[in-house]
Amino acid sequence: MTDHITVQNTPGGVRLIGLDRPQKKNALTGAMYDAMRVALADADASGEIGAVVFAGLPGIFTAGNDLADFDEGTRTAFGDAPALQFIRQLARTRTPMVAAVDGIAVGIGTTLTLHCDLVYVSDSARFRMPFVELGLVPEAASSYLLPRRVGLLKATEFLLLSEPFDAATAVGLGLANGIIPSDMLVEHAIAQASRLAALPRCAVEASRKLIRGDQAAVEAALEAEAEAFEARLRSPEAQAAFKTFLDRTPKPAA
């Protein structure tokens, strides 16, 4: 798909979407978002794929957006940005999704998991959503989904104060199913995804709709966030925060 996103299909009907950009801690570029969006849309259209697994390299899930790429890619309308197109597809994907989170999961690395049907983490998993620190607002319908998972007060800690949380906290709050040894994490996630893929497809889709609740409300929250996000991207606060981050990012040697 790209040099940094791998897509593998197992004989059991599971699609593994792998994040593979170790030199940048799997920070996501527009091309990576596009590749993941296509992989999800194709899974929905396929009669062979019954579940999708997201996984990063050993020791890291994703550091979130590559801010240099993201800043450059949103100088035009944010509604066309690959990140938003991926988020829309993520929210609408009918195929069950499983996340295998090892190491850091920043920004979209955390909010992506809110759309997954099962989430497994290693003991080293660390979650953080620093949107407000960057002068932005939450995305991927996290302002809607997270308070309904963990309550308003904890969601405020995570979304406004950008408080990090670990694997045990994620499990305790119902944001992850369990802690799995790092060397068995992806294998376990694929095994659980295979169980989903083996079930009657129409029954899974109908049950998933009932379990997940009001899809229209999720999509409405996502679009409201996108509108506010675009406005914030143009703000002096966000531009200053991006500049500060990029100025302190080590530059490659000439």
Side-chain angles (χ1 to χ4, degrees):
M1 300 292 288
T2 77
D3 290 340
H4 304 304
I5 296 293
T6 61
V7 178
Q8 299 173 304
N9 296 336
T10 74
V14 174
R15 171 162 291 180
L16 175 63
I17 299 176
L19 283 63
D20 186 7
R21 195 187 181 205
Q23 70 278 20
K24 290 290 187 178
K25 299 182 179 179
N26 289 346
L28 296 168
T29 64
M32 293 169 74
Y33 277 120
D34 277 339
M36 292 193 295
R37 174 184 55 78
V38 170
L40 288 179
D42 182 67
D44 272 356
S46 168
E48 303 299 321
I49 303 302
V52 171
V53 173
F54 289 100
L57 297 166
I60 185 164
F61 191 57
T62 174
N65 283 314
D66 181 316
L67 285 187
D69 180 270
F70 186 72
D71 188 39
E72 182 65 28
T74 54
R75 295 188 187 281
T76 55
F78 180 60
D80 297 326
L84 181 56
Q85 296 303 319
F86 167 72
I87 287 169
R88 285 171 171 153
Q89 176 62 54
L90 182 69
R92 295 168 184 166
T93 294
R94 301 187 307 279
T95 305
M97 296 178 287
V98 180
V101 181
D102 191 15
I104 62 170
V106 178
I108 185 65
T110 297
T111 59
L112 177 155
T113 67
L114 298 174
H115 295 271
C116 290
D117 301 274
L118 298 170
V119 179
Y120 298 98
V121 298
S122 72
D123 188 60
S124 67
R126 297 294 183 270
F127 299 86
R128 192 163 180 266
M129 294 173 282
F131 303 115
V132 175
E133 283 186 7
L134 292 169
L136 302 171
V137 298
E139 39 85 311
S142 56
S143 64
Y144 176 82
L145 293 171
L146 192 62
R148 283 156 180 78
R149 297 280 190 88
V150 304
L152 184 62
L153 298 181
K154 292 304 293 184
T156 298
E157 279 188 353
F158 295 150
L159 292 174
L160 288 190
L161 296 180
S162 307
E163 289 286 348
F165 57 98
D166 62 13
T169 300
V171 172
L173 290 173
L175 295 172
N177 293 87
I179 299 174
I180 308 298
S182 182
D183 61 348
M184 299 172 59
L185 177 63
V186 175
E187 180 183 353
H188 180 80
I190 291 174
Q192 295 296 88
S194 296
R195 293 178 62 189
L196 291 172
L199 295 168
R201 298 287 172 84
C202 292
V204 168
E205 184 172 346
S207 298
R208 193 170 178 266
K209 286 180 180 179
L210 293 170
I211 292 168
R212 294 167 75 86
D214 192 345
Q215 177 69 16
V218 172
E219 294 196 28
L222 190 157
E223 296 301 331
E225 289 172 350
E227 183 177 350
F229 199 100
E230 180 167 21
R232 296 305 309 155
L233 275 173
R234 312 287 181 246
S235 72
E237 288 179 339
Q239 292 300 310
F242 277 37
K243 183 177 186 303
T244 297
F245 178 87
L246 294 172
D247 284 349
R248 69 171 184 248
T249 301
K251 303 297 188 293

